[in-house]
Amino acid sequence: MDRPATALPTGPHAGRFVDGALAIVTAVGVLAGTARFGGRLDEAGALPLALWLGLLLLGRRRWPLTVLLLGVQVVVVFHTSGLTDTGWVWPLSVAYATLAADDRPGRPGLPWAVAVGLVELAFAATWLTTAGGATPREALASLGAEALWLAALLAAATAYRNRLRWRAELDERLLRAARERDLEAGRRIAEARLDIARELHDVVGHTLTVVGLHLRVAAEALDDSPHEARTALATAQQVRTEAVRDLRALVHVLRAPGEDPVEHPAAGAPEVAALVDRMRSPRLDIRLATSGDLTALPAPVSLAVHRVVQEALTNTARHADASRADVTIRYGDGHVEVSVTDDGRAVARVTSVAPVPSDAPETPGTPEASAGHGIRGMAERVRTLGGTFSAGTRDTHEKTNHEPVGGWLVRAHIPVPGFRP
């Protein structure tokens, strides 16, 4: 990134002010230094030299090397013309420091400043010992202090330039860290919103479906079988109570993040049996088969198993017009397998769900190229745990005697961390 030659107040007006101030300081410094070292102060020598060196500094920001080269030529001309008799390097202190501190890409200032300084000192030594009539000892005594001054000046400018680099790198790292924090916060917010959306969809959708199912059973059996109607109403009330509890726990987590919920939702693989009992009705016979100790499943896997079965059965009750559903859960060999099948109508289910966005990944095993929020939510839960998920018509998965089977199949395979046989 382009940076100014030195760290100065920002803004073009501030830069011009600083350049003007340095020009004045240089002009005054040349006159004061000439007087201090016993040089001649006259209108034809020291005064025009001070003015020329000061005016050149007005372009130091844009052309630091050019300003230094022109300044060296001015000093050389005034010395060789006999118009001044003191100072080869120190009148150009600001020009040398500006070039040495220049840190713009492709314009390394320090090597140029060193080279120009060595050439100027070498020319000064040669001129003093030839045209000036000075002995080598006198030339060394005259130029030794200026050489030391040039070395100290370039060292200070280099340290200043390195400090500018360090500050620029630090600012860049801080900016990058801030951006990464913002991206991470956005990612976590998106994940949290997705989790909340899945939970709300599963809880609310399942509750409304089961309550509606049992209310329909109660309405149909109210006259002929009051006992069956009361049982259906009691089941609907129980499902409603559990849903309220789950939603209350979710709201508590949202209001007080990081704290444990007041009531933990009883959702896991061991509760699948109770889930099946609640959803079983005279119109839908649900059969459950399990193997393995489901209570040993880790909590995330157990919750995913419960939600997959819950959503699959909810879709069956909503869209399939099925008479039978089979739920199978097998736990062993380091993984748990879940499958939910029914004998309902697959087309009604597919056409009734929301379409998948064009950039959303397709669900394996789903040839209809459309999936609802429930199917997408199940797939996300399973894949988050490193498993595989598929949902589609049973025709795409299994056939008997080369004849279509019909119905719908949801299948999930989830690895279980730390499994021990």
Side-chain angles (χ1 to χ4, degrees):
M1 58 184 292
D2 290 346
R3 287 190 293 272
T6 55
L8 298 169
T10 59
H13 297 291
R16 286 194 292 267
F17 174 79
V18 172
D19 291 342
L22 290 176
I24 294 174
V25 169
T26 297
V28 174
V30 169
L31 296 176
T34 301
R36 174 66 178 82
F37 294 112
R40 298 194 310 273
L41 284 174
D42 50 45
E43 296 180 355
L47 183 59
L49 175 64
L51 292 178
W52 272 110
L53 295 182
L55 290 175
L56 286 175
L57 291 180
L58 296 178
R60 70 185 189 92
R61 290 174 176 271
R62 191 169 183 179
W63 307 287
L65 178 59
T66 302
V67 168
L68 178 60
L69 292 177
L70 291 177
V72 170
Q73 292 180 17
V74 169
V75 171
V76 168
V77 168
F78 271 74
H79 269 282
T80 56
S81 300
L83 299 176
T84 185
D85 55 358
T86 182
W88 289 84
V89 171
W90 63 261
L92 300 167
S93 296
V94 175
Y96 273 111
T98 299
L99 181 60
D102 189 15
D103 196 25
R104 284 172 284 189
R107 302 176 61 172
L110 180 61
W112 279 105
V114 173
V116 172
L118 292 177
V119 170
E120 184 183 15
L121 288 174
F123 176 84
T126 303
W127 189 85
L128 288 176
T129 55
T130 56
T135 64
R137 181 185 294 274
E138 292 173 342
L140 179 62
S142 175
L143 298 177
E146 291 205 72
L148 292 177
W149 170 253
L150 179 61
L153 185 67
L154 296 182
T158 302
Y160 190 58
R161 182 200 61 190
N162 292 338
R163 181 174 179 272
L164 294 180
R165 287 181 178 178
W166 173 80
R167 288 182 58 183
E169 293 174 358
L170 178 62
D171 292 341
E172 185 177 355
R173 286 198 300 268
L174 292 176
L175 181 60
R176 189 185 307 116
R179 290 175 178 172
E180 291 176 354
R181 285 195 301 269
D182 292 341
L183 291 175
E184 179 67 16
R187 185 186 64 82
R188 291 183 178 180
I189 291 174
E191 291 179 353
R193 291 177 61 184
L194 185 60
D195 292 340
I196 293 170
R198 280 200 297 259
E199 290 296 325
L200 288 176
H201 177 275
D202 292 344
V203 173
V204 175
H206 169 73
T207 302
L208 293 178
T209 299
V210 176
V211 169
L213 180 66
H214 286 284
L215 288 179
R216 185 173 60 181
V217 171
E220 294 175 353
L222 185 60
D223 296 331
D224 299 334
S225 180
H227 175 71
E228 184 179 346
R230 283 194 295 270
T231 302
L233 290 175
T235 302
Q237 179 65 25
Q238 178 186 0
V239 173
R240 176 261 177 197
T241 302
E242 292 178 358
V244 170
R245 180 188 59 193
D246 291 351
L247 291 175
R248 184 181 295 119
L250 181 60
V251 170
H252 178 81
V253 171
L254 295 176
R255 287 181 175 273
E259 299 181 7
D260 291 333
V262 178
E263 299 180 19
H264 297 270
E271 288 74 32
V272 170
L275 170 67
V276 169
D277 291 338
R278 289 196 303 268
M279 297 199 66
R280 188 181 289 117
S281 69
R283 292 192 174 189
L284 180 60
D285 180 25
I286 305 177
R287 301 185 182 182
L288 173 65
T290 63
S291 63
D293 184 11
L294 300 184
T295 59
L297 286 173
V301 177
S302 183
L303 176 61
V305 170
H306 186 279
R307 294 304 191 201
V308 167
V309 174
Q310 181 186 64
E311 182 60 28
L313 291 179
T314 299
N315 286 341
T316 296
R318 270 183 173 178
H319 311 297
D321 194 20
S323 61
R324 174 173 171 175
D326 293 288
V327 179
T328 304
I329 304 176
R330 295 188 179 93
Y331 173 38
D333 298 329
H335 65 272
V336 58
E337 292 184 356
V338 182
S339 66
V340 181
T341 61
D342 62 56
D343 59 357
R345 295 177 299 159
V347 176
R349 217 168 336 194
V350 173
T351 57
S352 64
V353 294
V356 178
S358 59
D359 58 346
E362 293 185 2
T363 304
T366 307
E368 291 81 3
S370 65
H373 295 293
I375 293 178
R376 188 184 295 113
M378 287 188 288
E380 289 170 349
R381 286 183 184 275
V382 173
R383 290 169 185 163
T384 300
L385 297 172
T388 57
F389 175 85
S390 63
T393 58
R394 294 174 65 185
D395 297 341
T396 62
H397 295 278
E398 55 187 47
K399 289 188 177 182
T400 304
N401 297 326
H402 305 285
E403 294 294 331
V405 178
W408 189 265
L409 170 61
V410 173
R411 180 176 292 165
H413 180 282
I414 307 174
V416 179
F419 174 82
R420 294 292 183 273

